[in-house]
Amino acid sequence: MKILSKTIIYIVIVASISFLLPRLIPGSPFFFSHSDMNVLNTMMPEDSFNSFVQYYHPDKPVAEQFWLYLKDLLKFDLGRSFYYKLPVADLLTGCLGWTIFLSFVSIGISSGIGIPLGLFHAVKNAKNRAVWLNVFTGLNSVPVIVIAVVMQMLLSYKFDLFPSSGAYTPGISVSDPGWILDVIGHAILPLLVLVLAELPPIFILTYNTCSRTKNEPFVEMAQYFNIQDNVINHQYILKNTLPEILSKINIQFLYAISGVLFVEVVFSYPGIGSLLKIAAFGRDYPLLQGILLVTGIYGIIINLIFELIIKRLNPRVQV
Amino acid sequence: MRVFHSNKGSWIIILVMALIGLTYPLISPYDAGDFSFDSLVSPSLDHLLGTDEMGHDILSMLLAGFRVSIGIAISASVLATLSGTVLAIIAAYYKGLVDRIIVRLTEVFILVPEIVVLLFVTAIAKPTVYNSILAIAFFSWSKITRIVRAKALSIIELEKVQYTLLLKGNIFDIILKMWRELYPAIATMFVFQCGKAAVYESTLAFFGIGDPLAKSWGRIMRNALDCEGIFSGNTFLWYLLPPILCILIFVLAISRIAYNVDEF
């Protein structure tokens, strides 16, 4: 119950931020008072101006604007995009799927590789451990966008191994037999970039937490009892560190959403990232507001899921 | 000074980069805004990195980028670290409701993808360097607050701080008392933030917003990617790679320093 009420508070805060932010920034068109509306009218195209007035009600007091905004939200009415001339809610639902697909698959692959690898290096004193750690800490600080640009440059333009942009070949439809293969082919490169960006932090934190648990008295005691190594590794070390690892992966997941948005822009993947680029470039306020709201709520839901899982795994955790 | 010795290389790289940023008008071969040359010339003695599609000398633009990129990174981090630390100390000092509100706010800022907030602010505000700095600082403070608050909560329990509290010391006395213990955490966060801010600045330029006249590394990278046929020849070698390398070297050197700065 406590988690649920916290989630609702978060959603209210995100909604208020997306309402207040454009009105707090100096120089934004929301600053114009009602008498200045004719100035704004000359700055914007006619139909953008009309939908602006219709959705934001600049003639009403701010408190009433907020009330109307919340009412619209409950009806899933996020206004109409200036650029696409379509309802923002429709645009977002069309794109959200690709973003969810990329973020879930990439985090899944990264955790699938990173957690076992981190555990392995923590319990075994492999010779090349220092090399691995250095490679991963180095990779950890490379910005996603640089990885994405370099990979695109090398793998798709220079060596032509993977398609450079899009989520599927234009013209192909869902009913075609090769559709799934086509989508997978287009997803490999973005996923590779995302895994390269997400793997290092997951590896490092698994390594750190497992190395700490390895020296706990209960693990040493188990070793004196001659319990098999892999039982110790899985039942004693991994099981006890898993809640901590998961709570870190939770934060990593939230950072990964930003990463996914970058990667989508570089590879022109038809997700929220591409929408965001157009919205930011075209100063499309309703679309920007909608994206802030939807990505914020997506983050909140991910957080909720992780907190529920962690609570399940370890009832001692106080959320 | 141990930090300096353990990471001499990284410090030297950062200092040299900052020096280039400060003195670039003296060492750059041409004016960065001069577009009177032939377009897309290959590297030669006149133009060490060739020219871009508009006829700018790429080396001059890159050198100008040192000042813009590093300047934005440092000023945004100063702002973010300052506001983050102040909020963290306020939270740790007043506890109770104030603390709860600040913690909830930082959590929300972590839940919302940073890039969305960043683009939101910069897209609505006027595209100036000043606004980019404010925008980067605006959504970076939450991470600093989170770390510094945790640190401050443990430091405030120390006897010397408790003694000051007992003598009815106000928040400034407490800050003075806590400073020595708090300093390493703040310094680490500041250095980390510098690297992050540099990346965000290049990201902003990459998305095509921010000051269109400020020639940062990110902007050169964006121009290079927008340039038709950059991958068909070898143009990308002297147009796209140098700004990428500059960003990479800066960020890697910063992170090497940050990992060791708390050994102070």
Side-chain angles (χ1 to χ4, degrees), chain A residues 146, chain B residues 17 217 237 240-251:
Chain A
V146 170
Chain B
M17 284 184 135
W217 295 328
L237 280 179
L240 183 57
L241 275 187
I244 291 185
L245 282 181
C246 283
I247 297 172
L248 258 187
I249 292 171
F250 182 72
V251 173

Side-chain angles (χ1 to χ4, degrees), chain A residues 27-29 32 36-46 49 285:
Chain A
S28 84
F32 291 106
D36 292 332
M37 270 301 133
N38 49 348
V39 182
L40 186 60
N41 201 354
T42 56
M43 277 164 54
M44 274 185 188
E46 187 67 32
F49 176 76
Y285 306 117

Side-chain angles (χ1 to χ4, degrees), chain B residues 58-187:
Chain B
I58 294 176
L59 182 62
S60 308
M61 286 205 293
L62 203 65
L63 290 175
F66 276 81
R67 177 177 285 187
V68 179
S69 294
I70 298 180
I72 290 180
I74 290 179
S75 36
S77 318
V78 168
L79 259 180
T81 316
L82 210 66
S83 48
T85 308
V86 168
L87 277 173
I89 292 175
I90 288 176
Y93 179 76
Y94 289 105
K95 302 216 171 78
L97 186 66
V98 181
D99 185 39
R100 282 235 300 279
I101 293 174
I102 291 178
V103 169
R104 283 283 169 277
L105 266 180
T106 56
E107 279 172 354
V108 169
F109 269 85
I110 286 168
L111 288 175
V112 179
E114 48 207 18
I115 182 63
V116 180
V117 186
L118 181 58
L119 286 182
F120 199 99
V121 176
T122 37
I124 290 174
K126 286 199 185 72
T128 57
V129 171
Y130 180 66
N131 277 339
S132 304
I133 293 172
L134 279 184
I136 294 173
F138 177 72
F139 71 97
S140 303
W141 61 269
S142 60
K143 283 160 209 138
I144 294 162
T145 306
R146 222 172 124 94
I147 307 276
V148 176
R149 175 185 160 270
K151 196 90 190 161
L153 277 182
S154 68
I155 294 170
I156 215 164
E157 296 301 320
L158 288 181
E159 272 171 13
K160 61 171 193 179
V161 186
Q162 286 297 321
Y163 185 69
T164 320
L165 278 175
L166 215 67
L167 293 175
K168 301 256 182 296
N170 62 17
I171 190 160
F172 297 104
D173 301 330
I174 301 295
I175 293 175
L176 280 179
K177 270 278 178 261
M178 298 205 302
W179 184 247
R180 261 190 65 178
E181 279 77 18
L182 211 52
Y183 172 71
I186 297 174

Side-chain angles (χ1 to χ4, degrees), chain A:
Chain A
M1 254 341 271
K2 209 180 161 196
I3 302 179
L4 215 71
S5 66
K6 210 165 84 172
T7 307
I8 292 169
I9 293 176
Y10 286 150
I11 291 180
V12 172
I13 297 181
V14 168
S16 352
I17 288 179
S18 84
F19 173 81
L20 280 176
L21 210 50
R23 287 166 177 80
L24 287 176
I25 298 163
S28 84
F30 298 87
F31 248 91
F32 291 106
S33 63
H34 185 49
S35 53
D36 292 332
M37 270 301 133
N38 49 348
V39 182
L40 186 60
N41 201 354
T42 56
M43 277 164 54
M44 274 185 188
E46 187 67 32
D47 44 352
S48 296
F49 176 76
N50 288 339
S51 64
F52 182 88
V53 173
Q54 201 188 357
Y55 184 64
Y56 290 113
H57 314 285
D59 49 331
K60 296 200 168 73
V62 175
E64 205 181 332
Q65 284 179 25
F66 187 53
W67 177 239
L68 287 169
Y69 176 71
L70 288 183
K71 257 206 218 151
D72 283 341
L73 277 190
L74 289 178
K75 288 183 288 182
F76 294 103
D77 177 8
L78 299 174
R80 286 177 85 80
S81 157
F82 296 166
Y83 181 87
Y84 290 100
K85 313 265 184 290
L86 286 169
V88 170
D90 294 357
L91 282 169
L92 286 173
T93 43
C95 291
L96 194 58
W98 292 112
T99 303
I100 293 178
F101 164 70
L102 277 188
S103 51
F104 267 88
V105 174
S106 65
I107 277 284
I109 296 176
S110 314
S111 325
I113 303 173
I115 295 177
L117 203 64
L119 179 67
F120 173 80
H121 279 281
V123 294
K124 294 242 166 47
N125 284 314
K127 265 179 278 163
N128 50 4
R129 185 167 73 189
V131 180
W132 278 89
L133 272 174
N134 269 329
V135 167
F136 277 122
T137 40
L139 204 58
N140 195 14
S141 49
V142 179
V144 190
I145 211 144
V146 170
I147 303 181
V149 170
V150 171
M151 294 292 263
Q152 190 190 36
M153 188 168 78
L154 287 178
L155 294 182
S156 58
Y157 289 125
K158 275 287 128 187
F159 299 115
D160 207 14
L161 291 175
F162 300 105
S164 64
S165 63
Y168 42 82
T169 315
I172 200 164
S173 74
V174 189
S175 51
D176 286 342
W179 189 75
I180 290 179
L181 276 179
D182 191 58
V183 167
I184 292 174
H186 279 81
I188 289 177
L189 200 49
L191 284 178
L192 190 64
V193 172
L194 285 171
V195 168
L196 276 180
E198 290 159 9
L199 187 57
I202 293 178
F203 170 82
I204 292 169
L205 69 92
T206 315
Y207 174 81
N208 284 342
T209 41
C210 287
S211 319
R212 219 180 315 131
T213 318
K214 192 182 70 173
N215 298 325
E216 295 271 329
F218 70 89
V219 179
E220 278 181 18
M221 199 63 194
Q223 279 160 351
Y224 293 142
F225 286 151
N226 274 338
I227 295 173
Q228 276 174 324
D229 271 354
N230 60 14
V231 176
I232 292 182
N233 292 349
H234 291 111
Q235 299 289 326
Y236 285 68
I237 299 179
L238 189 61
K239 216 173 167 186
N240 276 297
T241 47
L242 207 55
E244 197 179 336
I245 294 173
L246 276 179
S247 66
K248 295 266 175 60
I249 289 182
N250 178 12
I251 302 225
Q252 217 49 57
F253 201 125
L254 299 172
Y255 290 157
I257 298 175
S258 299
V260 171
L261 298 181
F262 290 141
V263 169
E264 282 175 354
V265 173
V266 174
F267 293 102
S268 313
Y269 213 76
I272 303 274
S274 306
L275 270 189
L276 181 63
K277 188 188 175 193
I278 288 166
F281 199 68
R283 309 285 193 267
D284 192 340
Y285 306 117
L287 192 53
L288 272 173
Q289 242 177 333
I291 292 172
L292 180 68
L293 200 69
V294 166
T295 45
I297 291 175
Y298 180 45
I300 292 169
I301 291 172
I302 296 293
N303 191 48
L304 178 69
I305 295 172
F306 268 94
E307 282 189 352
L308 289 175
I309 295 175
I310 293 167
K311 215 177 156 95
R312 242 288 153 57
L313 278 176
N314 187 354
R316 283 173 299 179
V317 173
Q318 294 281 310
V319 183

